[in-house]
Amino acid sequence: MTDHADAGESGKTEIDENAAGPADVRDWLVRQEAKRAFVWLGIAGAIVMAVYLAQPLIVIFAGIVFAAMIDGGQRLLARVLPVSRSIRIAIVMLAAVLFMVWLVLFAGSQIADQAAALPKLVMTEAQRLSDLARAHGLISQTVDIPALSGKIAEQLAGGVGPVTHALGGLLGGLTTAFLIVILGIYFVLEPDLYQGGVAWLMPSANRDSWRETAQQMGHTLRRLLFGRLIGMASEGFAMWILLSVWGVPMAALLGLLTGLLAFLPNIGAPISGGLTILVGFSAGFNTGIYCIVVYAIVQIIDGNIVVPMVAKKTADLAPALVLGAQLIFGVLFGLLGLVLADPMVAMLKIALKRQAQSNADSAGTPEAKRGGVA
């Protein structure tokens, strides 16, 4: 009683540190619901950040794809060249640089002249085709081809716009290409560093599964890109040779464009074929028919011989799925999204298959069966 009286006289109140505070929630249901709310808020915030940072993320993914190409090359060299990994990477990069130098020195002037003349020729032929279609009643009005091509080019370039604006917008697509190359070199030099960093952000129970998934993704991506490079080389070289035999104008440029556009399944072949046919008809009716035949032969051989042989060792992707992804990513990210749609689908397929396998394994455990999962 004396102690209480003394406390009351001094005007001070003793605080029990073990007592419940205003922020202490002891109800189990409230705590669980609060945890769930924080999880959903975190997921929503991550989605918002992903949308806001979509353009930089697509550039980072492009760096990963470029790194996979370099890594695939050095792995091929490892079968015949017993040197360190860094030396093999340097050889692959040097070979790529030498190829670009050769392209510029030996074929650069010819291809540059053809590239300068190609847009005007294509617009002229397309405008003539539009006028012919209008004369026969196939369309109601004449199409302004220059204006239409300008809008298409603006839409395709939209994928690199925000990135280059953030960096000053002076070098345009070259800045984005430079970033992709630098990122790819960093990724391929120390892949374990970045893979381990991502694994460190995950719960310890999921790290081994992530490493296996990442290895499968890298394996699939390397094979997919190898198949694309084989198709690009075969189509471009065949088109160049066959067009040169007939004397079709701009055969070298058309072969180069055919090879580059072959990287885009479903979309690249019709674009390169349309350009080839337009150039062919600009040189005469017989040349145009010959270009149609050459295009058909190259696509038949590539589709029935080259692609099936390569597809057995690469990712098996449904054509409609790839085309749908190209349409979606092309709208979201422009030209860069269109180019990277195929690798993205392949990576998502691996991730979903791994998750499905993990779910199936969990459903087969005794704990899952007791919990009513199986």
Side-chain angles (χ1 to χ4, degrees), residues 114 235-258 272-273 275-277 279-280 287-295 298:
Q114 294 178 359
E235 287 191 30
F237 186 76
M239 187 68 73
W240 172 46
I241 294 298
L242 293 175
L243 293 180
S244 299
V245 169
W246 188 270
V248 178
M250 307 181 183
L253 178 62
L254 291 173
L256 179 62
L257 290 176
T258 300
S272 61
L275 292 174
T276 302
I277 293 170
V279 172
T287 304
I289 297 299
Y290 177 79
C291 290
I292 294 176
V293 174
V294 167
Y295 170 75
V298 170

Side-chain angles (χ1 to χ4, degrees), residues 325-336:
Q326 288 174 335
L327 294 176
I328 294 173
F329 292 126
V331 171
L332 292 177
F333 308 113
L335 181 60
L336 200 57

Side-chain angles (χ1 to χ4, degrees), residues 89-310:
I89 292 174
I91 292 175
V92 172
M93 295 297 297
L94 181 61
V97 172
L98 291 177
F99 173 76
M100 296 301 298
V101 171
W102 172 85
L103 187 64
V104 171
L105 294 180
F106 292 93
S109 60
Q110 179 185 3
I111 292 179
D113 294 338
Q114 294 178 359
L118 180 62
K120 182 178 180 181
L121 187 148
V122 170
M123 288 185 184
T124 300
E125 293 301 313
Q127 191 67 57
R128 188 173 68 174
L129 183 63
S130 172
D131 295 339
L132 183 64
R134 182 175 181 275
H136 288 79
L138 298 178
I139 56 177
S140 59
Q141 59 183 3
T142 303
V143 180
D144 188 357
I145 298 298
L148 180 62
S149 63
K151 292 180 180 179
I152 294 175
E154 183 180 353
Q155 290 293 327
L156 290 176
V160 298
V163 178
T164 54
H165 284 320
L167 297 172
L170 297 177
L171 300 180
L174 293 178
T175 303
T176 302
F178 177 75
L179 286 174
I180 292 172
V181 172
I182 296 300
L183 286 171
I185 293 175
Y186 282 138
F187 289 148
V188 76
L189 287 178
E190 294 181 311
D192 295 335
L193 174 64
Y194 302 101
Q195 182 178 329
V198 176
W200 179 76
L201 296 174
M202 296 183 174
S204 58
N206 298 334
R207 291 174 183 174
D208 292 337
S209 176
W210 153 250
R211 290 188 178 94
E212 294 179 4
T213 302
Q215 290 177 358
Q216 288 190 14
M217 285 182 173
H219 180 76
T220 301
L221 186 57
R222 288 192 299 271
R223 289 183 175 270
L224 175 66
L225 295 174
F226 177 74
R228 289 287 177 265
L229 292 176
I230 293 295
M232 291 168 64
S234 61
E235 287 191 30
F237 186 76
M239 187 68 73
W240 172 46
I241 294 298
L242 293 175
L243 293 180
S244 299
V245 169
W246 188 270
V248 178
M250 307 181 183
L253 178 62
L254 291 173
L256 179 62
L257 290 176
T258 300
L260 293 176
L261 290 172
F263 190 84
L264 302 175
N266 306 321
I267 295 178
I271 295 176
S272 61
L275 292 174
T276 302
I277 293 170
L278 284 176
V279 172
F281 276 107
S282 69
F285 180 79
N286 293 335
T287 304
I289 297 299
Y290 177 79
C291 290
I292 294 176
V293 174
V294 167
Y295 170 75
I297 291 175
V298 170
Q299 293 304 317
I300 289 173
I301 294 176
D302 185 73
N304 292 280
I305 299 178
V306 178
V307 171
M309 291 176 60
V310 174

